[in-house]
Amino acid sequence: MADRIYDLIIIGAGPAGLSAAIYAGRATLDTLVLEADTVGGQVTTTAMVYNYPAAPAIDGTKLMHQMQQQTQDFGVAIKKDRIVKFDLDGEVKTLTGESGHQYQTRSVIIATGASPRHAGFVGEDEFRGRGIAYCSTCDGELFTGLEVFVVGGGYAAAEEADFLTRYAKHVTVLVREGEFQCPPLTAARALDNPKVDVKYHTEIEMVRGDQYLTEMTLVNNETKEKTVYHVDEGDQTFGVFVYVGTKPATDLLPATLKKTPQGYLKVNQNGETALPGVYAAGDVIDKDLRQIITAAADGATAATKAEEYVSAQKKRLHIPVNRPKPKPVGKTSSVVDKSATKHTGKWFTPDLVSQLSPIFARLTKNATLQVLSTGDELSQELIAFVQELAGLDSHLSEVTVDASANLDFAPQLRLLVDGKATGLQYAGVPTGHELNSLVLGLYNVAGPGQEVAPDLVARIKQLPTTKFEIGVSLTCHFCPDVVAACQKMASINPKITATMIDLAHFKELREERQIMSVPATMINGGPVIFGSQTLEQLVAAAEEAK
């Protein structure tokens, strides 16, 4: 059962959900944001955002982090859970999470967003992770020095083609229409880049290969002429990045919510759905322009209408409106004297330390950060990182030992609690986005830990000896969730080990397992599982691998 009735629950923490949370928090609604995957949504897969007001060029992840911080400044909590059941009739709605927890609320904003669509050519699914990719910031580095093709003719295709030239030796954009379907200034990012060529009226018919992608058949959709591209001599593979639109995340929503044939939710100009008290915002709704700024506007509108709805309901039911005083912002905000804050070192800025301090304050056990060193430059980098991290809290200490001769991946960081191995391991330096998985790992083994549904805990405890290896890129926004899920299992079951592997430093593994996309999860040395996976999915995969 739910332990409280919220005024508003927002499902999804992309730009629409976070904008709604900011407006709801400012209106002092008792609000909760639920996010199944990555806070920030699809924006975190965008290398640079060029069209958001007052931020002419900003990293997508940074922009969403700023929105998240603003949301939290207004007192709105963000919780990780995937809603699997929606009971939206009646004045109090009930949402059931994958965790088993039930949430009750007077109003709901659905901001679940959308995921990348597949182009539909033969071999697309077969070679996903072995040449076919959908996220340039996650996988772009893995195609360094190789030929890359971008499929699409919209905003994302033009912008990501430009970004991919940082890694690829050359990029070719395959546009189905006779021109780009985005404003000229955006298209110019690809057209004006000397490392980018564009082929119009061109589609992929099929891709082929043995272990990697090595051949592709293109067709001109006007002349029907076909051409075959073979991987360049000396290259092992080439890349195809697909940007052909999105599929709305509406499959689990009840039929009482009206949708278009493509699955987008139908709403009026106020974001209202067919059900009273239920609103929708962002890429999940039926609209013409899907951009960060329009998603943010949708969220603001929906939150404003939700506030009106909740206030009217409480007034009608004679429920007192007891709202907390909003946190002062703007000219009344307190001023922090940054001159009094000393820089803590190379790895951890004062801002980052302030974010980590509340988490470390909840640690109840002593954790040792053990570095298995080979004495090389990467080992020294890892040692410096660990020494600085250990200095942030009294529950943390560090020790360096020589790496074993038969250690597969070194240097390596291992977490010990009260001197005992926990099964949480990191090959390489867990910085970038992987700092999230390391911090969660410490929280899970030396603190209260994340909540997991009891039935799932029971299944995890029944697993036999299991070895998870998760190939990651430090720029990947989806990798930390997979690493954290596998390591959560290790924190529950001592027979499980879960090792994060930074593929930038272990080329042999990439070549041996034909990995060209991340996250890449391997269980007991079995087949590679590409892409984001939930804890439930990983448990099921481990059960099958027994």
Side-chain angles (χ1 to χ4, degrees):
M1 289 293 295
D3 52 4
R4 67 198 283 187
I5 299 176
Y6 289 94
D7 290 332
L8 170 64
I9 288 182
I10 301 165
I11 308 172
L18 293 179
S19 176
I22 291 168
Y23 273 73
R26 188 168 179 266
T28 67
L29 290 180
D30 184 14
T31 304
L32 175 67
V33 179
L34 296 173
E35 171 56 53
D37 294 309
T38 302
V39 173
Q42 288 295 311
V43 183
T44 61
T45 69
T46 303
M48 293 296 291
V49 175
Y50 293 98
N51 56 356
Y52 198 79
I58 185 171
D59 176 84
T61 300
K62 182 178 180 180
L63 176 62
M64 298 317 297
H65 174 74
Q66 291 174 352
M67 284 192 185
Q68 179 183 359
Q69 185 61 55
Q70 193 173 1
T71 296
Q72 293 170 334
D73 286 345
F74 278 112
V76 178
I78 301 174
K79 182 176 180 179
K80 189 176 182 64
D81 204 352
R82 183 185 304 274
I83 299 303
V84 295
K85 185 179 179 182
F86 298 78
D87 295 317
L88 302 178
D89 295 321
E91 295 193 329
V92 175
K93 295 89 170 61
T94 301
L95 307 171
T96 304
E98 191 174 57
S99 65
H101 190 82
Q102 284 192 332
Y103 308 88
Q104 289 191 325
T105 179
R106 301 186 185 280
S107 63
V108 174
I109 296 178
I110 300 168
T112 48
S115 57
R117 287 189 184 275
H118 288 196
F121 51 82
V122 176
E124 182 176 6
D125 291 335
E126 179 184 354
F127 286 95
R128 180 177 181 179
R130 306 190 194 281
I132 306 297
Y134 301 86
C135 175
S136 63
T137 55
C138 299
D139 302 332
E141 186 181 5
L142 302 178
F143 292 86
T144 298
L146 298 175
E147 188 77 22
V148 165
F149 294 81
V150 171
V151 180
Y155 284 90
E159 292 176 345
E160 301 308 317
D162 176 59
F163 173 76
L164 284 164
T165 59
R166 300 184 185 189
Y167 307 109
K169 63 181 178 183
H170 183 265
V171 175
T172 302
V173 186
L174 307 176
V175 183
R176 183 177 58 185
E177 295 83 7
E179 60 182 2
F180 275 99
Q181 303 300 301
C182 59
L185 188 61
T186 302
R189 303 199 63 81
L191 295 171
D192 295 346
N193 190 317
K195 291 180 67 177
V196 176
D197 286 334
V198 180
K199 291 183 180 293
Y200 296 108
H201 296 294
T202 303
E203 301 179 52
I204 299 176
E205 182 178 82
M206 68 173 61
V207 294
R208 307 177 189 84
D210 182 10
Q211 296 175 327
Y212 288 115
L213 188 62
T214 57
E215 187 179 298
M216 174 173 60
T217 299
L218 303 175
V219 58
N220 184 297
N221 56 30
E222 284 192 329
T223 66
K224 307 307 178 185
E225 178 184 1
K226 295 183 181 182
T227 58
V228 177
Y229 172 80
H230 294 276
V231 65
D232 287 354
E233 185 176 351
D235 290 348
Q236 197 170 35
T237 188
F238 62 92
V240 175
F241 284 76
V242 179
Y243 296 99
V244 293
T246 57
K247 179 181 182 299
T250 58
D251 289 346
L252 295 178
L253 295 177
T256 47
L257 292 174
K258 296 180 180 179
K259 306 175 189 176
T260 69
Q262 294 76 30
Y264 293 98
L265 288 177
K266 291 183 177 182
V267 298
N268 64 14
Q269 70 272 21
N270 295 322
E272 296 168 321
T273 69
L275 296 178
V278 180
Y279 307 83
D283 284 0
V284 75
I285 69 174
D286 180 30
K287 60 179 183 175
D288 293 330
L289 184 61
R290 303 182 192 283
Q291 293 287 286
I292 301 172
I293 189 169
T294 61
D298 295 339
T301 300
T304 300
K305 291 302 175 182
E307 191 275 335
E308 294 176 3
Y309 173 85
V310 170
S311 295
Q313 183 190 99
K314 286 186 171 181
K315 183 177 180 180
R316 177 169 44 82
L317 297 175
H318 304 290
I319 298 173
V321 181
N322 297 319
R323 294 181 180 173
K325 186 177 180 180
K327 181 178 179 179
V329 294
K331 292 182 179 180
T332 61
S333 295
S334 59
V335 178
V336 178
D337 181 9
K338 293 188 177 181
S339 64
T341 305
K342 295 182 179 179
H343 181 59
T344 56
K346 175 182 176 183
W347 299 99
F348 298 91
T349 64
D351 285 345
L352 184 54
V353 172
S354 67
Q355 295 173 42
L356 295 176
S357 295
I359 301 173
F360 290 155
R362 301 189 66 187
L363 300 183
T364 57
K365 300 177 183 177
N366 294 323
T368 301
L369 308 171
Q370 182 189 63
V371 176
L372 282 69
S373 169
T374 58
D376 60 359
E377 184 176 348
L378 185 61
S379 294
Q380 296 306 313
E381 191 175 320
L382 179 59
I383 291 170
F385 169 79
V386 166
Q387 287 176 339
E388 190 170 332
L389 175 60
L392 299 182
D393 190 85
S394 60
H395 288 95
L396 306 178
S397 61
E398 54 84 22
V399 63
T400 300
V401 299
D402 290 335
S404 170
N406 61 0
L407 187 66
D408 291 333
F409 306 106
Q412 193 173 119
L413 166 64
R414 294 184 174 181
L415 301 188
L416 312 180
V417 171
D418 296 332
K420 298 179 181 179
T422 63
L424 279 66
Q425 305 171 168
Y426 308 81
V429 186
T431 55
H433 291 290
E434 285 308 321
L435 180 60
N436 295 328
S437 62
L438 174 57
V439 172
L440 276 175
L442 287 167
Y443 182 73
N444 282 327
V445 297
Q450 298 166 288
E451 292 184 8
V452 178
D455 61 327
L456 208 51
V457 171
R459 289 168 61 189
I460 294 170
K461 288 182 176 180
Q462 291 174 0
L463 289 172
T465 300
T466 305
K467 180 175 71 172
F468 287 94
E469 295 172 321
I470 311 98
V472 307
S473 164
L474 300 183
T475 59
C476 172
H477 317 282
F478 303 108
C479 293
D481 285 345
V482 178
V483 173
C486 293
Q487 293 188 337
K488 179 61 182 179
M489 295 167 67
S491 72
I492 294 171
N493 185 340
K495 297 178 181 178
I496 297 174
T497 60
T499 307
M500 178 219 83
I501 303 171
D502 181 1
L503 293 175
H505 297 293
F506 299 97
K507 185 178 179 181
E508 297 81 4
L509 176 65
R510 284 170 49 190
E511 294 179 350
E512 177 188 347
R513 303 307 305 272
Q514 299 92 47
I515 296 173
M516 296 300 292
S517 182
V518 290
T521 307
M522 295 152 279
I523 305 176
N524 296 333
V528 180
I529 302 171
F530 289 106
S532 182
Q533 302 287 315
T534 66
L535 179 60
E536 165 71 33
Q537 290 172 322
L538 289 164
V539 171
E543 290 170 336
E544 292 179 5
K546 288 195 292 186

